């Protein structure tokens, strides 16, 4: 109930006027994380602008990470936000900035600390976009990277799924456990697949 109430509140606070709207209310969706970042970008003829002291453009944005969706918005009033972009959560990546080479004036005016490349593989306009963003603290940056980065197994034959992006299976036959780490499944019952090995399902009818 608390999650649904929070979604109802956010549905009134987030204005999708300038982008394709997404109905927020869903029984399987809730807010996972929220935080402020600074977007950094340059316009055309950036080098010329730098010589006149117009270094970079900065914009404060708020990220709303839901179980299946990332919404990027700018504040337009007291707890009111204008949505500027959104993307399915499983199509979002956050990568550390390894080098400032190739960024206009990067070496002079920016520091790699707390910065990330935010990539939306399919934004509201079905396009791939990449933004340079900066977090207030290093701890914030690391937490956000962890939230949007799927876990990787050390076993090359194992696939790990996130709870928000896992496949679901339905029992087509009754199965009783043969080992303590197995799951009893009846016909018609459903289960989320969180880990999958190459031999998963062997021996089943």
């Amino acid at each position: 109930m608390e999650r649904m109430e929070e979604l109802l509140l956010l549905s009134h606070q987030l204005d999708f006027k300038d982008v394709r709207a997404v109905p927020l209310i869903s029984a399987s969706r809730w807010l996972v994380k929220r935080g402020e970042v600074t977007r950094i970008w340059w316009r055309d003829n950036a080098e010329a602008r730098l010589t006149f002291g117009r270094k970079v453009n900065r914009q404060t944005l708020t990220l709303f990470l839901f179980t299946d969706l990332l919404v990027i918005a700018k504040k337009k009033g007291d707890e009111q936000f204008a949505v500027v972009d959104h993307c399915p959560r499983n199509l979002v990546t956050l990568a550390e900035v390894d080098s400032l080479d190739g960024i206009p004036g990067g070496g002079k005016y920016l520091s790699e600390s707390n910065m990330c490349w935010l990539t939306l593989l399919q934004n509201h306009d079905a396009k791939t976009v990449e933004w340079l963003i900066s977090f207030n603290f290093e701890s914030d940056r690391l937490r956000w990277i962890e939230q949007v980065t799927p876990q990787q197994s050390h076993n090359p034959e194992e696939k790990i799924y996130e709870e928000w992006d896992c496949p679901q299976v339905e029992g087509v036959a009754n199965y009783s456990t043969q080992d303590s780490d197995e799951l009893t499944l009846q016909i018609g019952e459903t289960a989320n697949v969180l880990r999958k090995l190459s031999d998963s399902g062997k021996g089943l009818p």
Side-chain angles (χ1 to χ4, degrees):
M1 287 300 297
E2 290 178 354
R3 288 174 173 175
M4 184 57 67
E5 289 173 0
E6 187 174 41
L7 276 183
L8 288 170
L9 178 60
L10 287 172
S11 68
H12 290 95
Q13 293 177 337
L14 295 174
D15 182 2
F16 286 84
K17 178 182 178 181
D18 298 326
V19 301
R20 179 175 57 84
V22 174
L24 287 181
I25 307 301
S26 170
S28 60
R29 176 182 295 146
W30 63 85
L31 184 66
V32 176
K33 192 171 180 61
R34 168 180 172 173
E36 284 192 352
V37 299
T38 300
R39 181 191 176 194
I40 303 168
W41 82 100
W42 298 260
R43 298 186 185 277
D44 294 338
N45 199 19
E47 291 293 350
R49 292 177 182 272
L50 289 172
T51 61
F52 291 98
R54 300 180 66 177
K55 304 175 184 177
V56 293
N57 295 287
R58 299 176 185 269
Q59 182 184 35
T60 300
L61 298 172
T62 303
L63 304 182
F64 296 87
L65 182 65
F66 297 91
T67 45
D68 61 340
L69 180 72
L70 175 69
V71 173
I72 306 171
K74 59 182 179 181
K75 198 166 187 177
K76 67 173 188 177
D78 185 23
E79 289 304 309
Q80 295 295 314
F81 300 86
V83 177
V84 297
D85 217 336
H86 56 77
C87 180
R89 182 176 176 178
N90 60 352
L91 297 178
V92 175
T93 64
L94 267 177
E96 297 183 3
V97 176
D98 296 326
S99 172
L100 296 175
D101 294 341
I103 298 177
K108 293 182 180 179
Y109 304 106
L110 298 175
S111 167
E112 296 174 30
S113 176
N114 304 341
M115 289 170 49
C116 275
W117 289 109
L118 171 63
T119 303
L120 310 182
L121 298 176
Q122 186 175 317
N123 73 344
H124 77 279
D125 205 22
K127 296 179 179 178
T128 297
V129 297
E130 186 176 56
W131 292 0
L132 181 64
I133 61 173
S134 175
F135 293 90
N136 293 327
F137 302 101
E138 172 71 2
S139 57
D140 291 339
R141 185 176 69 89
L142 295 176
R143 289 191 186 100
W144 274 96
I145 290 177
E146 182 179 350
Q147 285 288 350
V148 301
T149 304
Q151 296 184 59
Q152 298 293 326
S153 174
H154 296 295
N155 182 352
E157 296 185 349
E158 180 183 33
K159 171 68 176 177
I160 299 178
Y161 296 97
E162 299 293 341
E163 184 178 355
W164 47 268
D165 191 35
C166 64
Q168 194 173 69
V169 296
E170 180 177 337
V172 295
N174 295 332
Y175 180 78
S176 299
T177 58
Q178 299 178 9
D179 291 302
S180 59
D181 60 349
E182 291 186 338
L183 179 69
T184 295
L185 196 64
Q186 304 296 322
I187 295 178
E189 287 185 332
T190 58
N192 292 333
V193 179
L194 299 179
R195 291 174 179 263
K196 183 178 180 181
L197 291 168
S198 60
D199 63 348
S200 295
K202 287 185 178 179
L204 293 178

